[in-house]
Amino acid sequence: DSQGTDHGTASYMLVIGALFPGRVTRSQRLLNQMTGRSFGAGFVNFFFFGLIALLLFSIAENADGLLRALFFIPALLITAVLTVLLSFGLAGLVNELGTRLFPNQSATKQTLWGSIVLTLACTLPFVGWFLLLPYVTFLGLGAAILGLLQRNE
């Protein structure tokens, strides 16, 4: 159900923005100031850490006992960290989309509508799946990573 996905994504982005406003704001700012650098950092880190996680999952699948856990737990941690960072970055992207597309709305409505627009755009066959979704994934992940590496201002 597309409507349930839209509502779930919008709610998730609102919660992330409310719980971690500094991280989300920093990601949003970096998306504006360093779009290319954010994309590049996200691309490199997604494939580097994603490959390491896949390799560890693959080794864990073929191992037994304690050895399985020794490979599975780091792979799971890498995947979890990438997911958390992606959440911060996408929340910043959703806020920015809402601000640009719906400037006369409240911040909450901007986040809701930005989330719905991004979700629907990413479900568009072929263009959304294979171009927009990877683009926003790399962009969001990179902005969150760069936000972690920058000094507090």
Side-chain angles (χ1 to χ4, degrees):
D1 181 301
S2 175
Q3 190 176 16
T5 303
D6 291 344
H7 292 147
T9 304
S11 299
Y12 181 72
M13 292 301 159
L14 282 170
V15 168
I16 293 295
L19 292 177
F20 306 99
R23 291 271 172 230
V24 172
T25 302
R26 186 177 287 170
S27 293
Q28 184 176 355
R29 184 174 38 82
L30 286 167
L31 287 167
N32 277 326
Q33 294 174 349
M34 300 185 207
T35 305
R37 189 175 289 176
S38 294
F39 178 82
F43 182 83
V44 168
N45 282 285
F46 180 85
F47 283 107
F48 179 75
F49 289 109
L51 184 62
I52 290 172
L54 282 175
L55 185 64
L56 290 172
F57 277 129
S58 177
I59 293 170
E61 185 178 332
N62 296 320
D64 290 322
L66 182 63
L67 197 56
R68 174 176 279 186
L70 288 175
F71 286 106
F72 183 77
I73 291 171
L76 195 60
L77 286 173
I78 291 170
T79 305
V81 167
L82 286 175
T83 303
V84 167
L85 289 172
L86 182 59
S87 294
F88 294 148
L90 287 180
L93 183 61
V94 160
N95 288 348
E96 184 59 29
L97 274 175
T99 301
R100 289 183 185 184
L101 296 175
F102 307 100
N104 298 328
Q105 300 291 327
S106 68
T108 302
K109 285 185 180 181
Q110 287 175 344
T111 301
L112 284 170
W113 283 111
S115 174
I116 290 169
V117 167
L118 184 61
T119 301
L120 290 174
C122 286
T123 60
L124 187 66
F126 302 111
V127 174
W129 300 339
F130 301 118
L131 295 177
L132 184 61
L133 184 60
Y135 176 73
V136 298
T137 298
F138 300 148
L139 194 61
L141 182 62
I145 290 171
L146 291 176
L148 283 177
L149 298 177
Q150 278 192 342
R151 291 184 184 145
N152 289 336
E153 295 176 2

